[in-house]
Amino acid sequence: MTNPTSPANGRSAAALIGSTLRRLESVPYWLLALPLRFAVATVFWNSGTSKLANWNTTIELFTEEYKVPVLPPEIAAYLAASIELATPVLLVLGLLSRPAALVLLGMTAFIEIFVYPQAWPTHIQWAAMLLVLICRGPGMLSVDHLVRKRFDAETR
């Protein structure tokens, strides 16, 4: 019988930790990118569909609460709704993922700076997910991957 504090148990605990870390580190990126893509897409899609649900309220929000600088409220509302409805579709499909994520990162920064600066804990989460997608792309389960694979094959 071994003592729980014996060196043999220390080695087995270290081996278990090492094995667990190796398994976690071997999770393919595309599997990690999927929930990032869907999570960010859901946030912006829901916002876009709520804007469409009651356009008069949306215009009122842009006029009275958001007070977007430079742009008239109607143009800002159309622009925001268009971005919030188009980019989530691109992210879910994994099509033009990096540009879509970059647009959403810009929108997130704009919202943080000009509309809701106190909401930085939420915005930093969105930004973190978007930065991963911008830097690493959507992963191999995406249209972008298929297109890149096709172009790589043609250039050989």
Side-chain angles (χ1 to χ4, degrees):
M1 185 141 149
T2 60
N3 180 341
T5 59
S6 73
N9 282 341
R11 282 192 295 273
S12 63
L16 178 62
I17 291 169
S19 171
T20 301
L21 290 175
R22 281 189 296 282
R23 284 186 181 151
L24 289 171
E25 290 169 357
S26 71
V27 173
Y29 171 74
W30 67 266
L31 191 58
L32 302 173
L34 276 176
L36 292 177
R37 289 166 41 198
F38 282 86
V40 172
T42 300
V43 167
F44 286 94
W45 178 262
N46 289 343
S47 181
T49 56
S50 72
K51 283 177 179 60
L52 291 183
N54 191 334
W55 193 250
N56 291 332
T57 301
T58 297
I59 297 299
E60 187 177 321
L61 276 172
F62 273 83
T63 304
E64 301 300 324
E65 185 175 339
Y66 300 163
K67 297 179 183 175
V68 174
V70 181
L71 295 174
E74 295 81 11
I75 293 174
Y78 278 111
L79 187 58
S82 298
I83 290 170
E84 290 173 340
L85 294 171
T87 54
V89 173
L90 295 173
L91 285 179
V92 167
L93 294 174
L95 175 63
L96 299 171
S97 303
R98 285 183 163 117
L102 186 60
V103 167
L104 289 176
L105 182 61
M107 186 173 191
T108 300
F110 189 91
I111 294 166
E112 173 59 30
I113 294 165
F114 295 109
V115 182
Y116 290 125
Q118 71 282 9
W120 67 267
T122 298
H123 298 151
I124 202 163
Q125 292 174 33
W126 300 350
M129 291 186 284
L130 290 164
L131 284 168
V132 170
L133 294 172
I134 290 166
C135 293
R136 296 286 306 273
M140 64 183 270
L141 192 60
S142 67
V143 175
D144 286 348
H145 179 75
L146 295 174
V147 169
R148 185 173 180 181
K149 198 170 157 183
R150 171 92 183 222
F151 280 116
D152 286 349
E154 289 178 2
T155 58
R156 288 182 192 166

